[in-house]
Amino acid sequence: MTGKESGHFDHSAAQAVPHINPDALEVAPGTAHEKLEGWIPQLATDEEIRVALEKAFDYRGDVTITGKDGSKIEGYLFDRRTGATLKDSVVRLYPKNSNEKISISYADIAALAFTGRDTAAGKSWEAWMKKYAQKNAAGDTNIALEPEPLD
């Protein structure tokens, strides 16, 4: 067996491919995160419920869900499973004071609030570079940036 079938690569043919400038490639912009901390969305329509819960899924802090029965649960929303109807859709979260996973139907949610601190707010690459440059300009020799505590 010879050629590609045997794992051999024709290097002379590869050199015939023109050089690609990586700076000319299409680059997608980064995700712009909304400031959701403290937000209490209106949940009047099915679409508003779906949009708010999708944002809660992307949020990097705790949310508080108020059920239609009046119960409240605060925790980190780590999963959502959307179905054809609100009754067929669920969110899953870790309650703030437990490691137990809880599933709540979209249809059982009366209110949603973004109550926890957004642990990633202000932690973009640009913010990190700005802090690094400030420490470097000040003449600091130990310019490693340490993570902030989550609590």
Side-chain angles (χ1 to χ4, degrees):
M1 195 175 358
T2 62
K4 286 188 231 176
E5 297 86 15
S6 64
H8 295 283
F9 185 72
D10 183 359
H11 294 284
S12 61
Q15 292 174 4
V17 177
H19 176 70
I20 298 174
N21 178 357
D23 294 332
L25 297 174
E26 181 178 347
V27 177
T31 302
H33 294 284
E34 298 178 65
K35 182 170 175 14
L36 298 173
E37 192 172 321
W39 182 48
I40 302 173
Q42 296 294 317
L43 303 179
T45 67
D46 288 3
E47 183 61 21
E48 287 173 336
I49 291 170
R50 289 179 186 277
V51 168
L53 289 170
E54 192 64 30
K55 289 181 181 189
F57 172 70
D58 290 335
Y59 188 59
R60 287 99 11 129
D62 286 346
V63 297
T64 299
I65 294 176
T66 304
K68 289 187 177 175
D69 63 358
S71 64
K72 288 189 178 195
I73 186 153
E74 182 177 9
Y76 182 76
L77 196 150
F78 70 93
D79 189 19
R80 83 283 191 229
R81 298 180 181 173
T82 57
T85 66
L86 293 183
K87 190 171 184 133
D88 297 332
S89 304
V90 296
V91 292
R92 296 173 54 200
L93 65 135
Y94 287 110
K96 190 172 186 175
N97 300 321
S98 170
N99 288 331
E100 178 185 355
K101 297 175 187 174
I102 295 179
S103 295
I104 302 171
S105 170
Y106 283 27
D108 294 334
I109 298 174
L112 173 68
F114 292 76
T115 51
R117 181 174 72 92
D118 184 348
T119 58
K123 307 267 192 321
S124 68
W125 173 250
E126 291 81 12
W128 186 90
M129 287 301 296
K130 183 178 178 183
K131 287 179 188 176
Y132 181 88
Q134 288 171 344
K135 286 186 171 194
N136 192 26
D140 290 348
T141 55
N142 182 13
I143 54 177
L145 298 175
E146 301 299 325
E148 296 174 11
L150 294 177
D151 294 321

